Amino acid sequence: MAAVGPNLGRVLPGSSILFLCDMQEKFRHIAYFPQIVSVAARVLKVARLLDVPAVLTEQYPAGLGPTVPELGAGGLRPVAKTCFSMVPAVQRELDTRPQLRSVLLCGIETHACILNTALDLLDRGLQVHVVVDACSSRNQVDRLVALARMRQSGAFLSTSEGLILQLVGDAAHPRFKEIQKIIKEPAQDSGLLGVFQGPNPLFR
């Protein structure tokens, strides 16, 4: 019998789902909001091309408004919630997918609903892939510490393009040309470049 290998965090379309968290009108003031929505939108486009399911939540939409249209989430039915985690609101969606192994996580705020969603998913034994260029917080210290906290707990930190290329897997894929057009332009800068320039104790 082969030895059990390390958890490498491979992402495959047939065992993955995309979580889109609370990108709503009243959160437009959050740092890098247009950029993270743009990045999340391209991840969603690729997910649709590869038949990766997606779920969309809205935090207290009566007060915080609907999902912003530029996300391009038409066709997804938003799930309203008040909990600072997506998991209770989308429990049924998770329960109906026994093949699920990986969750790709985008949205806001990193230190609140993204962090708590990641912890709840990890508790269920799922692999969590935080799309770092598609998550933000009002306060950038909160954002960066939350990313480090999730990494400490076992989540994978990935960029949108890195995850997209993992999902497609091969330039011979029949949808690769369409996906190539989506990623041809670099993802918009969401303020993380400085974090990885020089030593950073949060990411040692």
Side-chain angles (χ1 to χ4, degrees):
M1 180 182 293
V4 176
N7 182 359
L8 299 178
R10 296 194 186 279
V11 179
L12 300 171
S15 57
S16 299
I17 192 168
L18 173 62
F19 274 23
L20 300 164
C21 184
D22 307 352
M23 286 173 272
Q24 295 161 252
E25 289 288 348
K26 290 293 179 71
F27 289 132
R28 287 188 180 276
H29 64 285
I30 286 176
Y32 300 103
F33 185 86
Q35 292 89 339
I36 68 155
V37 171
S38 172
V39 173
R42 76 178 196 160
V43 177
L44 176 57
K45 287 177 184 176
V46 171
R48 284 173 160 160
L49 287 172
L50 297 177
D51 296 319
V52 174
V55 295
L56 172 72
T57 59
E58 294 176 344
Q59 180 75 10
Y60 183 52
L64 296 173
T67 299
V68 296
E70 55 265 41
L71 181 60
L76 294 180
R77 179 180 297 177
V79 180
K81 67 181 182 65
T82 56
C83 182
F84 296 129
S85 168
M86 294 177 70
V87 172
V90 300
Q91 184 82 46
R92 186 176 300 176
E93 183 74 26
L94 293 173
D95 291 343
T96 59
R97 299 184 182 277
Q99 81 287 2
L100 188 63
R101 292 185 59 203
S102 304
V103 180
L104 283 58
L105 188 52
C106 302
I108 55 176
E109 289 186 74
T110 314
H111 66 289
C113 295
I114 297 297
L115 172 60
N116 285 301
T117 299
L119 296 179
D120 283 349
L121 292 168
L122 290 166
D123 252 351
R124 293 176 63 103
L126 293 166
Q127 296 179 10
V128 177
H129 298 264
V130 182
V131 188
V132 295
D133 48 344
C135 297
S136 192
S137 298
R138 288 166 295 160
N139 182 299
Q140 293 304 284
V141 172
D142 284 334
R143 178 192 191 189
L144 298 180
V145 173
L147 290 174
R149 171 72 172 82
M150 287 185 278
R151 183 169 175 258
Q152 288 172 330
S153 297
F156 295 98
L157 305 185
S158 301
T159 63
S160 57
E161 186 164 329
L163 283 171
I164 287 168
L165 292 173
Q166 279 192 71
L167 284 169
V168 70
D170 194 321
H173 191 287
R175 309 306 295 264
F176 178 70
K177 291 295 185 185
E178 294 166 89
I179 291 168
Q180 188 178 38
K181 291 176 183 177
I182 294 170
I183 64 174
K184 186 175 181 181
E185 292 297 321
Q188 293 191 29
D189 174 30
S190 57
L192 290 174
L193 186 59
V195 177
F196 299 103
Q197 290 179 331
N200 187 316
L202 293 177
F203 294 98
R204 284 178 182 165

mmCIF file of all heavy atoms in Angstrom, residues 2 13 26 28 35 50 59 67 69 71 80 84 89 91 93 104 112 120 126 129 140 146 163 170 178 184 198 204:
data_model
loop_
_atom_site.group_PDB
_atom_site.id
_atom_site.type_symbol
_atom_site.label_atom_id
_atom_site.label_comp_id
_atom_site.label_asym_id
_atom_site.label_seq_id
_atom_site.Cartn_x
_atom_site.Cartn_y
_atom_site.Cartn_z
ATOM 1 N N ALA A 2 0.548 2.211 -0.837
ATOM 2 C CA ALA A 2 1.328 3.440 -0.909
ATOM 3 C C ALA A 2 1.131 4.264 0.358
ATOM 4 O O ALA A 2 0.048 4.288 0.944
ATOM 5 C CB ALA A 2 0.922 4.250 -2.132
ATOM 6 N N PRO A 13 -11.671 20.601 -11.227
ATOM 7 C CA PRO A 13 -13.028 21.122 -11.436
ATOM 8 C C PRO A 13 -14.130 20.234 -10.860
ATOM 9 O O PRO A 13 -15.102 20.735 -10.295
ATOM 10 C CB PRO A 13 -13.139 21.215 -12.965
ATOM 11 C CG PRO A 13 -11.737 21.373 -13.435
ATOM 12 C CD PRO A 13 -10.904 20.553 -12.491
ATOM 13 N N LYS A 26 -23.108 48.367 -0.304
ATOM 14 C CA LYS A 26 -22.705 49.194 0.840
ATOM 15 C C LYS A 26 -21.265 48.924 1.283
ATOM 16 O O LYS A 26 -20.775 49.574 2.207
ATOM 17 C CB LYS A 26 -23.676 48.968 2.007
ATOM 18 C CG LYS A 26 -25.065 49.540 1.790
ATOM 19 C CD LYS A 26 -25.044 51.061 1.734
ATOM 20 C CE LYS A 26 -26.426 51.653 1.497
ATOM 21 N NZ LYS A 26 -27.337 51.528 2.640
ATOM 22 N N ARG A 28 -18.743 49.209 -0.900
ATOM 23 C CA ARG A 28 -17.877 49.808 -1.923
ATOM 24 C C ARG A 28 -16.736 50.636 -1.327
ATOM 25 O O ARG A 28 -15.742 50.899 -1.996
ATOM 26 C CB ARG A 28 -18.702 50.670 -2.873
ATOM 27 C CG ARG A 28 -19.567 49.871 -3.844
ATOM 28 C CD ARG A 28 -20.211 50.775 -4.874
ATOM 29 N NE ARG A 28 -21.044 50.036 -5.818
ATOM 30 C CZ ARG A 28 -20.606 49.429 -6.909
ATOM 31 N NH1 ARG A 28 -19.312 49.468 -7.210
ATOM 32 N NH2 ARG A 28 -21.436 48.803 -7.712
ATOM 33 N N GLN A 35 -11.064 46.376 -7.387
ATOM 34 C CA GLN A 35 -10.071 45.406 -7.862
ATOM 35 C C GLN A 35 -10.439 43.985 -7.465
ATOM 36 O O GLN A 35 -10.339 43.062 -8.270
ATOM 37 C CB GLN A 35 -8.685 45.766 -7.313
ATOM 38 C CG GLN A 35 -8.100 47.054 -7.874
ATOM 39 C CD GLN A 35 -8.483 48.288 -7.069
ATOM 40 O OE1 GLN A 35 -9.460 48.302 -6.327
ATOM 41 N NE2 GLN A 35 -7.692 49.348 -7.227
ATOM 42 N N LEU A 50 -15.728 25.929 -16.849
ATOM 43 C CA LEU A 50 -15.269 24.593 -16.449
ATOM 44 C C LEU A 50 -16.313 23.830 -15.639
ATOM 45 O O LEU A 50 -16.019 22.776 -15.075
ATOM 46 C CB LEU A 50 -13.973 24.724 -15.631
ATOM 47 C CG LEU A 50 -12.784 25.329 -16.375
ATOM 48 C CD1 LEU A 50 -11.589 25.478 -15.436
ATOM 49 C CD2 LEU A 50 -12.411 24.485 -17.588
ATOM 50 N N GLN A 59 -24.617 39.571 3.022
ATOM 51 C CA GLN A 59 -24.759 39.844 4.447
ATOM 52 C C GLN A 59 -25.844 40.894 4.660
ATOM 53 O O GLN A 59 -25.720 42.019 4.190
ATOM 54 C CB GLN A 59 -23.423 40.332 5.012
ATOM 55 C CG GLN A 59 -23.439 40.659 6.497
ATOM 56 C CD GLN A 59 -23.451 39.424 7.385
ATOM 57 O OE1 GLN A 59 -23.261 38.303 6.902
ATOM 58 N NE2 GLN A 59 -23.676 39.606 8.662
ATOM 59 N N THR A 67 -25.751 42.395 -4.263
ATOM 60 C CA THR A 67 -24.440 42.159 -4.876
ATOM 61 C C THR A 67 -24.219 43.161 -6.004
ATOM 62 O O THR A 67 -25.129 43.464 -6.776
ATOM 63 C CB THR A 67 -24.378 40.727 -5.431
ATOM 64 O OG1 THR A 67 -24.554 39.806 -4.337
ATOM 65 C CG2 THR A 67 -23.056 40.446 -6.113
ATOM 66 N N PRO A 69 -23.323 44.715 -9.527
ATOM 67 C CA PRO A 69 -23.513 44.095 -10.841
ATOM 68 C C PRO A 69 -22.214 43.730 -11.546
ATOM 69 O O PRO A 69 -22.180 42.793 -12.345
ATOM 70 C CB PRO A 69 -24.293 45.151 -11.630
ATOM 71 C CG PRO A 69 -24.059 46.445 -10.908
ATOM 72 C CD PRO A 69 -23.889 46.080 -9.470
ATOM 73 N N LEU A 71 -19.757 42.156 -10.599
ATOM 74 C CA LEU A 71 -19.300 40.797 -10.316
ATOM 75 C C LEU A 71 -19.730 39.834 -11.420
ATOM 76 O O LEU A 71 -19.087 38.806 -11.641
ATOM 77 C CB LEU A 71 -19.819 40.328 -8.956
ATOM 78 C CG LEU A 71 -19.403 38.927 -8.514
ATOM 79 C CD1 LEU A 71 -17.882 38.812 -8.407
ATOM 80 C CD2 LEU A 71 -20.057 38.566 -7.184
ATOM 81 N N ALA A 80 -29.127 34.981 1.536
ATOM 82 C CA ALA A 80 -29.016 35.989 2.585
ATOM 83 C C ALA A 80 -28.524 35.341 3.878
ATOM 84 O O ALA A 80 -28.826 34.188 4.177
ATOM 85 C CB ALA A 80 -30.363 36.660 2.814
ATOM 86 N N PHE A 84 -21.392 35.517 10.492
ATOM 87 C CA PHE A 84 -20.106 35.907 9.914
ATOM 88 C C PHE A 84 -19.368 34.687 9.357
ATOM 89 O O PHE A 84 -18.155 34.538 9.525
ATOM 90 C CB PHE A 84 -19.246 36.635 10.939
ATOM 91 C CG PHE A 84 -19.851 37.944 11.387
ATOM 92 C CD1 PHE A 84 -19.994 38.223 12.735
ATOM 93 C CD2 PHE A 84 -20.275 38.883 10.465
ATOM 94 C CE1 PHE A 84 -20.554 39.423 13.147
ATOM 95 C CE2 PHE A 84 -20.834 40.073 10.861
ATOM 96 C CZ PHE A 84 -20.979 40.353 12.219
ATOM 97 N N ALA A 89 -25.386 29.217 6.064
ATOM 98 C CA ALA A 89 -26.357 29.612 5.043
ATOM 99 C C ALA A 89 -26.344 28.676 3.834
ATOM 100 O O ALA A 89 -27.357 28.537 3.139
ATOM 101 C CB ALA A 89 -26.100 31.047 4.592
ATOM 102 N N GLN A 91 -25.261 25.392 3.936
ATOM 103 C CA GLN A 91 -25.078 24.023 4.429
ATOM 104 C C GLN A 91 -25.691 22.985 3.485
ATOM 105 O O GLN A 91 -25.076 21.970 3.174
ATOM 106 C CB GLN A 91 -25.738 23.901 5.803
ATOM 107 C CG GLN A 91 -25.560 22.557 6.486
ATOM 108 C CD GLN A 91 -24.221 22.465 7.185
ATOM 109 O OE1 GLN A 91 -23.822 23.385 7.874
ATOM 110 N NE2 GLN A 91 -23.528 21.373 6.987
ATOM 111 N N GLU A 93 -26.229 23.160 0.296
ATOM 112 C CA GLU A 93 -25.422 23.050 -0.931
ATOM 113 C C GLU A 93 -24.220 22.142 -0.704
ATOM 114 O O GLU A 93 -23.875 21.311 -1.544
ATOM 115 C CB GLU A 93 -24.959 24.440 -1.357
ATOM 116 C CG GLU A 93 -24.190 24.478 -2.650
ATOM 117 C CD GLU A 93 -25.046 24.291 -3.894
ATOM 118 O OE1 GLU A 93 -26.245 24.616 -3.837
ATOM 119 O OE2 GLU A 93 -24.500 23.816 -4.908
ATOM 120 N N LEU A 104 -12.928 27.324 -3.251
ATOM 121 C CA LEU A 104 -12.221 28.545 -3.640
ATOM 122 C C LEU A 104 -12.997 29.713 -3.048
ATOM 123 O O LEU A 104 -14.211 29.826 -3.269
ATOM 124 C CB LEU A 104 -12.156 28.672 -5.155
ATOM 125 C CG LEU A 104 -11.138 27.809 -5.916
ATOM 126 C CD1 LEU A 104 -11.355 26.324 -5.667
ATOM 127 C CD2 LEU A 104 -11.212 28.088 -7.401
ATOM 128 N N ALA A 112 -13.326 38.796 8.725
ATOM 129 C CA ALA A 112 -14.645 38.493 9.289
ATOM 130 C C ALA A 112 -15.230 37.265 8.592
ATOM 131 O O ALA A 112 -14.936 36.127 8.962
ATOM 132 C CB ALA A 112 -15.555 39.711 9.166
ATOM 133 N N ASP A 120 -14.731 27.245 9.311
ATOM 134 C CA ASP A 120 -15.853 26.290 9.289
ATOM 135 C C ASP A 120 -15.643 25.203 8.238
ATOM 136 O O ASP A 120 -15.955 24.033 8.462
ATOM 137 C CB ASP A 120 -17.169 27.025 9.022
ATOM 138 C CG ASP A 120 -17.704 27.752 10.238
ATOM 139 O OD1 ASP A 120 -17.173 27.534 11.353
ATOM 140 O OD2 ASP A 120 -18.662 28.540 10.085
ATOM 141 N N LEU A 126 -12.647 20.002 4.564
ATOM 142 C CA LEU A 126 -12.489 20.471 3.186
ATOM 143 C C LEU A 126 -11.209 21.290 3.037
ATOM 144 O O LEU A 126 -10.760 21.943 3.981
ATOM 145 C CB LEU A 126 -13.695 21.317 2.772
ATOM 146 C CG LEU A 126 -15.016 20.549 2.653
ATOM 147 C CD1 LEU A 126 -16.186 21.524 2.577
ATOM 148 C CD2 LEU A 126 -14.993 19.630 1.443
ATOM 149 N N HIS A 129 -9.048 27.224 -0.395
ATOM 150 C CA HIS A 129 -8.109 27.995 -1.205
ATOM 151 C C HIS A 129 -8.589 29.442 -1.213
ATOM 152 O O HIS A 129 -9.589 29.778 -1.853
ATOM 153 C CB HIS A 129 -8.048 27.432 -2.623
ATOM 154 C CG HIS A 129 -7.557 26.022 -2.674
ATOM 155 N ND1 HIS A 129 -6.248 25.697 -2.919
ATOM 156 C CD2 HIS A 129 -8.217 24.846 -2.462
ATOM 157 C CE1 HIS A 129 -6.105 24.373 -2.872
ATOM 158 N NE2 HIS A 129 -7.276 23.846 -2.603
ATOM 159 N N GLN A 140 -6.265 47.295 6.355
ATOM 160 C CA GLN A 140 -5.344 46.358 5.714
ATOM 161 C C GLN A 140 -4.543 45.530 6.718
ATOM 162 O O GLN A 140 -4.088 44.434 6.381
ATOM 163 C CB GLN A 140 -4.424 47.108 4.761
ATOM 164 C CG GLN A 140 -5.174 47.694 3.573
ATOM 165 C CD GLN A 140 -5.960 46.642 2.794
ATOM 166 O OE1 GLN A 140 -5.377 45.872 2.054
ATOM 167 N NE2 GLN A 140 -7.270 46.599 2.975
ATOM 168 N N ALA A 146 -5.450 38.306 8.950
ATOM 169 C CA ALA A 146 -6.420 37.244 8.680
ATOM 170 C C ALA A 146 -5.885 36.244 7.657
ATOM 171 O O ALA A 146 -6.099 35.033 7.789
ATOM 172 C CB ALA A 146 -7.743 37.839 8.197
ATOM 173 N N LEU A 163 -4.848 29.646 -9.370
ATOM 174 C CA LEU A 163 -5.956 28.702 -9.232
ATOM 175 C C LEU A 163 -6.609 28.408 -10.578
ATOM 176 O O LEU A 163 -6.994 27.264 -10.855
ATOM 177 C CB LEU A 163 -6.993 29.254 -8.250
ATOM 178 C CG LEU A 163 -6.602 29.125 -6.776
ATOM 179 C CD1 LEU A 163 -7.585 29.891 -5.904
ATOM 180 C CD2 LEU A 163 -6.552 27.661 -6.352
ATOM 181 N N ASP A 170 -4.293 22.018 -18.447
ATOM 182 C CA ASP A 170 -3.579 21.628 -19.664
ATOM 183 C C ASP A 170 -3.940 22.603 -20.776
ATOM 184 O O ASP A 170 -5.128 22.914 -20.978
ATOM 185 C CB ASP A 170 -4.000 20.201 -20.055
ATOM 186 C CG ASP A 170 -3.095 19.564 -21.100
ATOM 187 O OD1 ASP A 170 -2.657 20.279 -22.025
ATOM 188 O OD2 ASP A 170 -2.858 18.349 -21.019
ATOM 189 N N GLU A 178 -10.512 30.063 -24.541
ATOM 190 C CA GLU A 178 -11.432 31.026 -23.930
ATOM 191 C C GLU A 178 -10.878 31.529 -22.602
ATOM 192 O O GLU A 178 -10.975 32.719 -22.279
ATOM 193 C CB GLU A 178 -12.795 30.379 -23.712
ATOM 194 C CG GLU A 178 -13.528 30.008 -24.991
ATOM 195 C CD GLU A 178 -14.693 29.084 -24.708
ATOM 196 O OE1 GLU A 178 -15.795 29.611 -24.448
ATOM 197 O OE2 GLU A 178 -14.503 27.852 -24.721
ATOM 198 N N LYS A 184 -5.462 36.904 -20.027
ATOM 199 C CA LYS A 184 -4.420 37.570 -20.821
ATOM 200 C C LYS A 184 -3.996 38.879 -20.169
ATOM 201 O O LYS A 184 -2.811 39.198 -20.104
ATOM 202 C CB LYS A 184 -4.928 37.807 -22.243
ATOM 203 C CG LYS A 184 -3.863 38.372 -23.173
ATOM 204 C CD LYS A 184 -4.389 38.476 -24.605
ATOM 205 C CE LYS A 184 -3.325 39.011 -25.542
ATOM 206 N NZ LYS A 184 -3.831 39.133 -26.945
ATOM 207 N N GLY A 198 10.466 41.823 0.479
ATOM 208 C CA GLY A 198 11.233 41.843 1.714
ATOM 209 C C GLY A 198 10.607 40.924 2.755
ATOM 210 O O GLY A 198 9.531 40.355 2.557
ATOM 211 N N ARG A 204 6.132 33.871 7.275
ATOM 212 C CA ARG A 204 7.302 32.994 7.390
ATOM 213 C C ARG A 204 6.852 31.542 7.469
ATOM 214 O O ARG A 204 5.814 31.235 8.017
ATOM 215 C CB ARG A 204 8.111 33.352 8.617
ATOM 216 C CG ARG A 204 8.933 34.639 8.421
ATOM 217 C CD ARG A 204 9.679 34.987 9.679
ATOM 218 N NE ARG A 204 10.418 36.232 9.488
ATOM 219 C CZ ARG A 204 10.928 36.924 10.486
ATOM 220 N NH1 ARG A 204 10.794 36.539 11.727
ATOM 221 N NH2 ARG A 204 11.589 38.054 10.240
#
